[in-house]
Amino acid sequence: MSDSIDPQKLLDLIALKSRDRGVATMPDLHEACGLDVEAMYVLLGALVEAKRISIEGEYPFEQVRLLNL
Amino acid sequence: MIDYTQKIPNNVDLSGDKALQRALEHWQPAFLDWWSDTGPAASSALEVYLRTAVSVERDGWANFGYVRMPDYRWGIFLVPRDESRTVLFGDHKNEPAWQEVPGEYRSTLRRIIVTQGDTEPASVEQQRLLGATAPSMYDLRNIFQVNVEEGRHLWAMVYLLHRYFGRDGREEAESLLARRSGHADHPRILTAFNEETRHWLAFFMFAFFTDRDGKFQLASLAESAFDPLARTCRFMLTEEAHHLFVGESGIARAIQRTCEVMHAHNVSDPSQVRAFGVIDLETIQKFVNFHYSVTLDLYGSEVSSNAAMYYTTGLKGRFQEGKLADDHSLTGSDYPVQEVADGQIVVKQVSALTALNARLRDDYIREVQGGLDRWNRVPAKFEIPFRFMLPSIGFHRRIGKFSGHHITPDGRVVTEAEWTGRMRDWLPDASDHAYIESLMGRVVEPGKFANWIAPPVRGINGLPIEFEYVRFN
């Protein structure tokens, strides 16, 4: 479904998409996983809470950085 | 994995059913003729940096590369079968999901699939001319990505028609290529898919509002007892999710640019804002009002015996049926539905079974509101007091309980005279469209963007904004 994804898979995608520049963009992530916009924000919020990622920049130009690499 | 060595890429072992394979290979050139006739105009020679599905698994489904769109590998992709899947709802609850169509539901199910399938080519036809006014190469690539995937969604429905509905299904598949959006004699089935998409603001609105209706319909069908339909829709949803992102981010970038101009020049009056060649927020609100209200009509009548029948027979579930904690039969349950009584909008409890259209529409509204809340962060960060709002559920409705009533965006039932006098304050008129169209000059130099829309922070697949996403050769 487009409303859920294993958080680890999203973290793997963020790692893959941020490999060159250190950050992944929302378009990168959406094209790579087919997750709904709403579900993406919910999951990213949970990963921020868990201190696994940080979000830089403001909507609609957020960029996602992995933490504790 | 998807077999790309076949003439029609698929993961349904098409080569194991020669009659079906021949039938679909017979339909394939007709599809390509349709794409040539009604797909993106003047695009056949372009090389477009597109994403192609290589797997139905989410962790590895996308592959990027240049493709001439007529060479795009449209195929048939279903998520893998779960042998233990059972029906979640209705009279067949807990029975094994159906792998074939029960005879008693054959015509109803075919109609559902045809109606869904008809929307897929329709949107491609509606957007046919937009390449000529693309605000950037990035956006041009995005609309082409959306278009080829809507074409693939047509393939998804046509596969079901050919595979499970025999001669009737084959004839319906032919008809899907014969109807045309907006055609006087052979229109598409649903009204919203016969409206013209005149410019990119309308495209982004369509992708945000109307494609989202598609998502909710697909999500309901993804719960179907008819397992091949459910599995087809589940994969379609992953592609649809990106279309919604294209819509939301496109509008957000337009709002961003407008707010940048308003902030930099300290202007707020729409005419002053327009003088800088951007779309004033009031006009964007009018387009929100239009596209939202037209899309609400796609859910059909709030109270519907057909919707109840689809549910009890297991053909179509509720949004995220598996996450809902109730008896999944809905007998004896009520649901609140709004209607007009004594000159105002009131709430009435009706049978939850007959209110399934209203319920799905309410799920949709909650999600749309989330999108507006995100858009509203943009003027907020510029300290601009404007906020986008969804109009009343009864505003500008042609179908259902509000049809025939005149209801303002704030939910007041008014006379026809007041409605007519104020309509241009609430809905885009010819002058608004003309203004938007005046902004729509084509910008296709790599890295350049039209003045009315902000560029994204980075390009596609980690590439720079300046990347040549479309090669014109």
Side-chain angles (χ1 to χ4, degrees):
Chain A
M1 281 291 287
S2 55
D3 64 342
S4 63
I5 186 175
D6 179 347
Q8 187 55 51
K9 283 188 178 176
L10 184 56
L11 286 169
D12 292 346
L13 275 174
I14 294 167
L16 181 69
K17 296 296 175 185
S18 63
R19 195 165 47 197
D20 294 340
R21 297 169 190 246
V23 286
T25 64
M26 298 297 274
D28 281 346
L29 297 179
H30 277 290
E31 292 229 21
C33 73
L35 189 62
D36 272 352
V37 177
E38 293 70 26
M40 178 71 81
Y41 278 112
V42 169
L43 191 45
L44 290 178
L47 292 172
V48 168
E49 287 270 310
K51 300 191 183 331
R52 302 298 303 275
I53 61 168
S54 65
I55 295 183
E56 301 171 2
E58 290 184 275
Y59 179 86
F61 305 125
E62 305 99 318
Q63 299 188 82
V64 182
R65 184 182 297 279
L66 276 183
L67 298 177
N68 302 324
L69 281 176
Chain B
M1 290 298 284
I2 296 167
D3 183 355
Y4 271 99
T5 66
Q6 301 290 314
K7 192 172 179 182
I8 301 170
N10 70 91
N11 68 349
V12 293
D13 190 25
L14 197 54
S15 60
D17 185 339
K18 294 299 180 192
L20 175 62
Q21 188 176 35
R22 275 196 301 275
L24 286 167
E25 287 181 358
H26 178 74
W27 188 83
Q28 190 177 36
F31 169 83
L32 291 172
D33 286 346
W34 165 81
W35 178 267
S36 173
D37 289 347
T38 70
S43 68
S44 60
L46 308 181
E47 292 179 323
V48 187
Y49 189 75
L50 291 177
R51 183 187 70 249
T52 303
V54 293
S55 163
V56 294
E57 303 297 332
R58 181 168 290 132
D59 52 352
W61 73 298
N63 185 40
F64 291 84
Y66 283 106
V67 181
R68 285 177 63 253
M69 284 192 285
D71 299 332
Y72 184 80
R73 303 301 311 279
W74 285 285
I76 301 158
F77 315 132
L78 279 64
V79 298
R81 181 177 166 186
D82 174 0
E83 302 282 344
S84 65
R85 181 171 180 252
T86 56
V87 181
L88 284 177
F89 59 93
D91 292 346
H92 299 282
K93 190 172 70 169
N94 296 329
E95 295 176 13
W98 314 328
Q99 300 308 319
E100 296 293 334
V101 181
E104 64 268 37
Y105 304 141
R106 186 180 175 86
S107 62
T108 307
L109 199 47
R110 190 184 67 215
R111 196 67 204 153
I112 289 172
I113 292 170
V114 166
T115 304
Q116 179 63 43
D118 194 68
T119 67
E120 313 293 355
S123 65
V124 176
E125 293 162 2
Q126 288 173 295
Q127 296 156 16
R128 171 174 168 72
L129 300 176
L130 291 179
T133 55
S136 73
M137 195 173 261
Y138 170 91
D139 291 291
L140 184 62
R141 176 270 176 193
N142 276 348
I143 195 171
F144 288 158
Q145 183 73 55
V146 170
N147 290 160
V148 294
E149 287 174 348
E150 297 296 1
R152 204 204 67 71
H153 293 178
L154 172 60
W155 269 97
M157 294 295 120
V158 164
Y159 163 71
L160 296 175
L161 291 169
H162 273 253
R163 169 65 180 80
Y164 296 98
F165 294 91
R167 183 176 179 176
D168 291 349
R170 290 193 293 276
E171 288 176 358
E172 293 284 13
E174 297 292 330
S175 297
L176 286 169
L177 296 177
R179 286 186 286 272
R180 289 287 183 277
S181 176
H183 195 283
D185 299 322
H186 307 289
R188 291 295 172 186
I189 295 170
L190 300 173
T191 304
F193 290 87
N194 288 299
E195 301 275 354
E196 208 177 355
T197 305
R198 294 170 58 171
H199 44 67
W200 279 75
L201 182 62
F203 164 65
F204 288 135
M205 290 283 175
F206 184 95
F208 179 81
F209 287 105
T210 309
D211 273 346
R212 191 178 309 276
D213 163 66
K215 168 197 161 174
F216 277 81
Q217 300 297 342
L218 288 173
S220 299
L221 295 175
E223 306 288 350
S224 178
F226 179 43
D227 199 44
L229 173 61
R231 291 162 54 209
T232 300
C233 291
R234 281 174 194 272
F235 185 66
M236 291 167 73
L237 281 164
T238 61
E239 294 173 322
E240 204 68 59
H242 177 248
H243 305 179
L244 302 183
F245 175 76
V246 168
E248 175 171 333
S249 59
I251 297 168
R253 288 164 47 217
I255 296 168
Q256 168 81 20
R257 181 67 188 128
T258 299
C259 290
E260 286 172 359
V261 165
M262 292 172 71
H263 182 75
H265 299 281
N266 195 25
V267 292
S268 58
D269 182 83
S271 61
Q272 293 175 307
V273 173
R274 285 188 178 194
F276 290 97
V278 296
I279 307 171
D280 53 290
L281 302 178
E282 288 78 1
T283 296
I284 294 175
Q285 175 68 60
K286 288 187 193 178
F287 278 90
V288 167
N289 294 346
F290 175 79
H291 286 269
Y292 173 69
S293 57
V294 167
T295 304
L296 290 188
D297 279 345
L298 289 173
Y299 289 85
S301 297
E302 288 85 352
V303 177
S304 164
S305 57
N306 275 343
M309 183 265 287
Y310 295 162
Y311 188 81
T312 54
T313 54
L315 302 183
K316 187 176 177 184
R318 290 172 293 175
F319 181 60
Q320 299 183 333
E321 183 76 42
K323 294 183 179 176
L324 299 174
D326 57 26
D327 66 0
H328 300 280
S329 68
L330 302 182
T331 49
S333 306
D334 288 338
Y335 188 82
V337 169
Q338 291 169 283
E339 62 180 31
V340 175
D342 299 326
Q344 59 182 335
I345 295 177
V346 298
V347 177
K348 185 179 171 186
Q349 295 291 330
V350 303
S351 157
L353 267 178
T354 60
L356 283 164
N357 284 346
R359 182 182 185 125
L360 188 63
R361 182 204 59 197
D362 291 347
D363 289 333
Y364 165 87
I365 291 171
R366 274 189 286 277
E367 199 173 280
V368 167
Q369 182 61 56
L372 260 73
D373 292 343
R374 287 189 290 276
W375 291 342
N376 281 332
R377 293 182 203 165
V378 181
K381 75 183 173 190
F382 286 95
E383 298 182 344
I384 293 169
F386 189 97
R387 297 293 180 268
F388 294 99
M389 296 180 70
L390 289 179
S392 162
I393 202 169
F395 174 76
H396 188 233
R397 298 294 304 282
R398 304 279 169 82
I399 291 175
K401 289 185 171 294
F402 299 105
S403 172
H405 295 284
H406 301 294
I407 299 173
T408 62
D410 60 0
R412 286 184 302 113
V413 182
V414 296
T415 63
E416 183 173 2
E418 184 176 355
W419 167 266
T420 304
R422 296 286 311 277
M423 195 169 64
R424 62 173 305 194
D425 294 337
W426 302 324
L427 291 167
D429 64 8
S431 68
D432 294 318
H433 280 288
Y435 173 68
I436 305 285
E437 286 173 334
S438 76
L439 302 178
M440 298 286 139
R442 192 185 205 197
V443 179
V444 288
E445 189 181 339
K448 300 291 185 191
F449 284 77
N451 179 63
W452 62 271
I453 190 166
V457 67
R458 206 161 82 201
I460 291 152
N461 195 27
L463 295 166
I465 292 174
E466 298 79 14
F467 185 75
E468 190 176 17
Y469 294 104
V470 181
R471 290 177 177 159
F472 288 89
N473 299 317

